[in-house]
């Protein structure tokens, strides 16, 4: 029986990457006097590296104008990441990054019906705080029974540690939870932790092959295009509903997409 929804953040709760994190990274490069800029295509490649600091270090490894010494690189990545997260919080506070359509009704419905909620993300706690305070209000933390962020684990997704921590925090077996993810790395983390998985495709991972989900679709805002089909309609709207998630979880038919 489904007892908790475990939400990924970037790409799943909101399209934060292209107009949020990417813009904030570029701001940090400029603020520190660096000529580096990540355009949309390059950032899409870099998203295969989870974690902002890890992403910076990966990019520096390919640059001839990055510091040569490892310690200097680490210090620069730390500084850039801090400036980037401050810029990200300002972008999110300005209201320009919306929650993805279909997310809020499912969060509300879950609370009303006693289904527990969790956040399982590789992004920094400060970024989660900024995004959720902007959309759910200053008491956003009360919506969630467990919040696992980038700082809480030794290994970021696709490692399963974040999911295993969330399950331990909730005292649930893996099959009593449902992960909602948008990326191959996030999906791999949930799968590896044996947590049933729903994939809501995001802009940067629209066509990537993803296996072993109980449902894959174009977003929670629409019922069309999901495999298996969303069949548990209880309301009149056009969006995926909590009952659809409960239905997919109970059916446990595994689907693959794009492979
Ligand atoms: C996405 C990530 C993060 C963000 C940037 O995590 O990999 O690194 O791109 O955030 P998820 P930080 O989809 O699990 O939420 O700079 O704080 O790492
Ligand atoms: Mg994601």
């Amino acid at each position: 029986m489904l007892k908790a929804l475990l939400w990924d953040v970037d790409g799943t709760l909101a399209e934060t990457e292209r107009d949020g994190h990417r813009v904030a990274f570029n701001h940090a490069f400029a603020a520190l006097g660096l000529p580096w800029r990540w355009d949309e295509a390059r950032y899409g490649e870099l998203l295969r590296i989870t974690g902002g600091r890890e992403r910076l270090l990966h990019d520096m490894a390919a640059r001839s104008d990055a510091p040569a010494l490892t310690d200097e690189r680490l210090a620069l990545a730390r500084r850039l990441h801090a400036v980037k997260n401050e810029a990200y919080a300002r972008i999110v506070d300005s209201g320009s990054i919306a929650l993805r359509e279909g997310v809020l009704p499912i969060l509300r419905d879950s609370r009303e019906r006693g289904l527990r909620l969790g956040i399982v993300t590789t992004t920094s706690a400060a970024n989660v705080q900024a995004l959720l305070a902007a959309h759910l209000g200053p008491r956003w933390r009360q919506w969630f029974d467990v919040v696992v962020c980038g700082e809480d684990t030794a290994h970021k997704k696709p490692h399963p540690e974040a999911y295993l921590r969330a399950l331990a925090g909730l005292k649930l077996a893996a099959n009593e939870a449902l992960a909602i993810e948008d990326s191959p790395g996030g999906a791999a983390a949930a799968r590896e932790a044996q947590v049933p998985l729903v994939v809501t495709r995001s802009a940067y991972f629209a066509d990537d092959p993803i296996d072993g989900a109980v449902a894959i679709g174009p977003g929670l805002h629409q019922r069309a295009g999901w495999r298996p089909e969303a069949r548990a309609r209880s309301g009149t709207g056009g969006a995926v509903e909590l009952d659809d998630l409960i239905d997919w979880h109970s059916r446990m038919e595994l689907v693959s997409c794009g492979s």
Side-chain angles (χ1 to χ4, degrees), residues 5-9 12-13 103 106-107 117-120 180 220:
L5 296 182
L6 301 181
W7 294 84
D8 168 52
V9 173
T12 297
L13 288 180
V103 167
I106 292 177
L107 292 178
L117 294 172
I119 294 288
V120 181
I180 307 172
L220 297 169

Side-chain angles (χ1 to χ4, degrees), residues 117-246:
L117 294 172
I119 294 288
V120 181
T121 176
T122 45
T123 203
S124 314
N127 299 335
V128 177
Q129 158 70 30
L131 184 73
L132 293 183
H135 292 292
L136 304 180
R139 290 148 76 94
W140 70 269
R141 185 62 184 76
Q142 293 177 6
W143 289 53
F144 299 94
D145 291 278
V146 70
V147 175
V148 180
C149 299
E151 295 90 338
D152 301 323
T153 57
H155 309 285
K156 296 193 171 167
K157 299 173 187 176
H159 195 282
E161 185 181 352
Y163 277 100
L164 297 174
R165 253 178 195 277
L167 292 173
L170 293 167
K171 297 193 170 45
L172 290 182
N175 64 5
E176 293 176 309
L178 183 66
I180 307 172
E181 283 280 358
D182 68 301
S183 68
R191 263 198 322 266
E192 196 65 21
Q194 318 268 320
V195 177
L197 162 74
V198 163
V199 176
T200 167
R201 295 282 196 183
S202 62
Y204 269 120
F205 299 106
D207 304 312
D208 287 56
I210 298 184
D211 295 323
V214 299
I216 300 181
L220 297 169
H221 60 292
Q222 67 173 69
R223 306 174 70 77
W226 280 84
R227 291 192 320 120
E229 69 175 310
R231 64 177 190 184
R233 178 189 289 269
S234 55
T236 53
V240 169
E241 297 169 11
L242 178 55
D243 282 323
D244 294 308
L245 299 181
I246 293 169

Side-chain angles (χ1 to χ4, degrees), residues 9-24:
V9 173
D10 296 298
T12 297
L13 288 180
E15 286 280 11
T16 52
E17 297 290 5
R18 190 192 64 190
D19 301 327
H21 290 294
R22 185 185 69 88
V23 172

